[in-house]
Amino acid sequence: MTPKDLATFLKVAETGSDSLVADMLGRSQPSVTRCLKDLEETLGFPLVQRVGRRIQLTAEGVAFEEEAGRLLSMFQDLRARTLARASGGEQPLSISATYALGAGLVPHALARWPETDRPREVRLMQAAPNAVAHDLLSGNARVGFASLPLDVPGIIAKRVFSAPLVAALPESRSAEFPEGQPVSLAQVATDTVVTMLDQTRLQGRIRQALETAGVHPARAIRANSSVSALQFARLTGATAIVEPVTAYGTCSNGVILRPRTEKVDFTFGFFFAAGGNAARATKDFFDLCEAALFDLTPRSAASTKRLLPNQRLTMTDTRSGLSALLAIPFYILAGNLMNAVGMTDNSPTLRSP
């Protein structure tokens, strides 16, 4: 599997035509078809299927498309990263973050960093939590920001935070819900309520809170991002239950944010791969992210908290009714592949008790 193979596959995925890709890349159509076949043989599953004159991705092909993009990016940057490490030169600050933290927190932190002090090049990739871990382990990213749980060998959580979910309502209801007044689920039971799709993370805990309160919303919208949930609140008059980082970090005009009576926490952390060398820029950036986080979210007894090394976190797995311990750092592999990532700092490592 070569960068050329990955680039060819991505172009076919984009265009749906091997003949068009052949023209674009200055190759023959049979060579493009052969490239796809070689990839499928290497991976052990089909990537594409023909539907009439078009080429469509299989389910496996759709899943592989994002991975192929990440691998290609890693290959393309490999030479520059290697030379920078060998010469002690500056490397780009490559960040992998979940959509909430990438949109709601990282830009605010970068805005605080004087241009003369920050790296000349900053790269932000947004992905699901496990993909963030993959980016760190592969070296595609130097720092990561993701929600918990993220129990992945070789990934260290340097700082972990907890912040309560908030209610987002249309601005027209500001008189009904004055600023600072908590909103209970019972108060919005007759509304259209916007929650998350993922049953294993926030949505599972929101559903449990609804069941505990005995509230069954008349209508529901489920979205896979807090940004979409906020838009639904603004445009349809629905009430959205969302994590606070996106809510306060990206909230547009037309939406009001209120604390919730029933406390459900959003837990997340700042990560990097185990085994690297000290880098001052990492700690500086984490400091900026933490400062931005506490400035964005309201200050109150129930607001955002940084969790201490001796604190244990439990998160209810709503599918089984069991509690899973989040051990921090999760697991560190001796002799990890990414010893050269070079992104540790001097802040205390969080360890499970």
Side-chain angles (χ1 to χ4, degrees):
M1 187 185 305
T2 67
K4 185 177 180 180
D5 295 335
L6 295 171
T8 301
F9 166 74
L10 290 170
K11 280 296 182 184
V12 171
E14 177 186 340
T15 63
S17 169
D18 51 1
S19 59
L20 181 57
V21 169
D23 290 340
M24 293 170 65
L25 300 180
R27 298 168 59 183
S28 67
Q29 182 178 341
S31 73
V32 171
T33 303
R34 181 69 258 170
C35 175
L36 295 176
K37 291 290 185 186
D38 289 344
L39 266 179
E40 291 177 331
E41 290 174 7
T42 299
L43 294 169
F45 50 74
L47 294 171
V48 298
Q49 58 188 359
R50 289 194 178 274
V51 180
R53 301 177 65 180
R54 300 280 299 173
I55 293 180
Q56 291 185 354
L57 298 184
T58 61
E60 295 85 354
V62 172
F64 180 66
E65 183 178 9
E66 183 175 349
E67 294 298 326
R70 292 177 181 279
L71 284 170
L72 182 60
S73 176
M74 184 178 68
F75 276 125
Q76 290 171 337
D77 294 340
L78 184 60
R79 181 178 184 277
R81 289 204 311 267
T82 302
L83 292 175
R85 287 197 191 100
S87 64
E90 182 182 275
Q91 301 176 53
L93 176 59
S94 51
I95 305 163
S96 183
T98 56
Y99 299 99
L101 298 166
L105 179 60
V106 170
H108 290 277
L110 287 174
R112 291 167 172 262
W113 207 346
E115 191 172 288
T116 54
D117 295 340
R118 67 176 180 242
R120 288 191 297 272
E121 183 177 350
V122 178
R123 302 173 184 175
L124 173 62
M125 301 164 285
Q126 292 178 269
N130 284 328
V132 171
H134 179 272
D135 283 337
L136 291 172
L137 291 172
S138 68
N140 204 30
R142 298 171 66 189
V143 293
F145 298 83
S147 57
L148 300 180
L150 190 62
D151 194 352
V152 176
I155 300 299
I156 297 177
K158 270 308 201 185
R159 306 187 191 187
V160 174
F161 302 87
S162 173
L165 304 189
V166 297
L169 304 104
E171 195 172 36
S172 58
R173 301 184 72 179
S174 56
E176 183 182 354
F177 297 101
E179 187 172 358
Q181 176 182 304
V183 176
S184 71
L185 292 172
Q187 287 176 285
V188 297
T190 59
D191 295 354
T192 296
V193 176
V194 187
T195 59
M196 298 293 103
L197 275 171
D198 190 345
Q199 296 292 320
T200 64
R201 289 183 176 266
L202 278 184
Q203 175 55 26
R205 283 171 280 156
I206 294 171
R207 185 184 63 188
Q208 186 177 56
L210 288 167
E211 291 173 354
T212 301
V215 173
H216 304 283
R219 292 167 297 279
I221 300 174
R222 293 185 181 176
N224 66 353
S225 77
S226 294
V227 169
S228 297
L230 291 167
Q231 282 288 78
F232 281 124
R234 183 173 74 88
L235 297 173
T236 71
T239 296
I241 308 299
V242 295
E243 44 76 21
V245 178
T246 300
Y248 288 105
T250 69
C251 191
S252 59
N253 293 333
V255 173
I256 58 173
L257 302 175
R258 299 293 182 259
R260 295 179 56 256
T261 304
E262 301 86 359
K263 189 168 180 289
V264 176
D265 280 335
F266 173 58
T267 51
F268 54 96
F270 304 167
F271 299 85
F272 61 82
N277 299 316
R280 180 69 192 180
T282 307
K283 185 178 185 302
D284 290 344
F285 186 54
F286 283 174
D287 287 344
L288 291 167
C289 289
E290 183 169 339
L293 175 66
F294 283 105
D295 280 350
L296 284 171
T297 53
R299 297 178 182 272
S300 70
S303 65
T304 304
K305 296 179 176 66
R306 179 172 173 179
L307 303 178
L308 301 175
N310 62 348
Q311 285 183 283
R312 294 167 69 98
L313 300 177
T314 59
M315 181 176 296
T316 300
D317 183 337
T318 54
R319 293 167 297 171
S320 64
L322 302 175
S323 292
L325 177 67
L326 301 182
I328 306 167
F330 303 106
Y331 297 98
I332 301 176
L333 295 180
N336 186 274
L337 172 65
M338 296 315 300
N339 281 341
V341 169
M343 294 306 296
T344 60
D345 64 31
N346 297 320
S347 59
T349 300
L350 299 175
R351 298 192 181 279
S352 57

